[in-house]
Amino acid sequence: MLTSDLQGRETGPQNRLLGCALADELVALHNKGIIPRPNLIALCGDLYEYPDCHKRGGTGPVDEVFFALGGVCDQVVGVLGNHDELARRDTVHAPNISILDGTRDSVLGLRIGGLSGIIGDPKRNLRRSEDEFLKRLESLTSKSPNLLLLHQGPDDPELSRRGDPSVRLSLETGYAGLTVFGHTRWHGYPLITLGSGQALNVDGRVIIVTPSGIESSPNR
């Protein structure tokens, strides 16, 4: 399963982050025989929302989302978005949780690389200068991971869809695998060809890959 930008809370007294509610929904779908139990859940960041949802764009801890989803699958791997923080040190050391930032891990037979955050003012949460971001990105792609997780991804000039052109150029010329990213919402078909590889936008989507194919929730 692939997703990102679950910036919201469930209604009701628990007021949990949407990622926690999603964990319950995955269990319900599995129990009804609609989907198999997830082997791998990949998260591409921006999982936080204020408790009262008064303003989209707050920054806060998302540990509970990783733990909730880790309880319903074999392995969770992800990157953090620019609105995410970790409150607990044990989150990054949980047995079936892997949070990546300029690093690569072997997960269920896949080589997965990930880079958290976005290009921006380094004084702000999970932002790096363009030079530093691209340096870390290209260090990852040079190792040829099967799957690359980013929060900030490429733009799509053909359909005028937002993203970062320098990230697009780097991926077009230096990576032949699948890049999965969020941060900016793409309407329409979310998968594009990028050089010798592909890029998949999962902002506000839940994409489930099963033996019979791919199913995607509607883009919000």
Side-chain angles (χ1 to χ4, degrees), residues 10-30:
E10 67 176 340
T11 58
Q14 292 191 72
N15 193 229
R16 297 179 303 171
L17 290 168
L18 278 184
C20 298
L22 174 61
D24 287 351
E25 184 64 21
L26 292 173
V27 171
L29 291 172
H30 170 62

Side-chain angles (χ1 to χ4, degrees), residues 5 44 61 78 110 113-115 117 135-136 142 145 152 177 182 201 207 216:
D5 297 85
C44 291
L110 292 173
L115 181 58
K135 178 181 176 181
R136 291 180 182 234
S142 70
Q152 181 165 42
N201 179 276
I207 293 181
S216 174

Side-chain angles (χ1 to χ4, degrees), residues 171 175-181 189 191-200:
L171 295 173
Y175 182 53
L178 175 63
T179 301
V180 182
F181 66 99
Y189 193 64
L191 180 68
I192 62 170
T193 298
L194 206 56
S196 299
Q198 293 178 302
L200 176 66

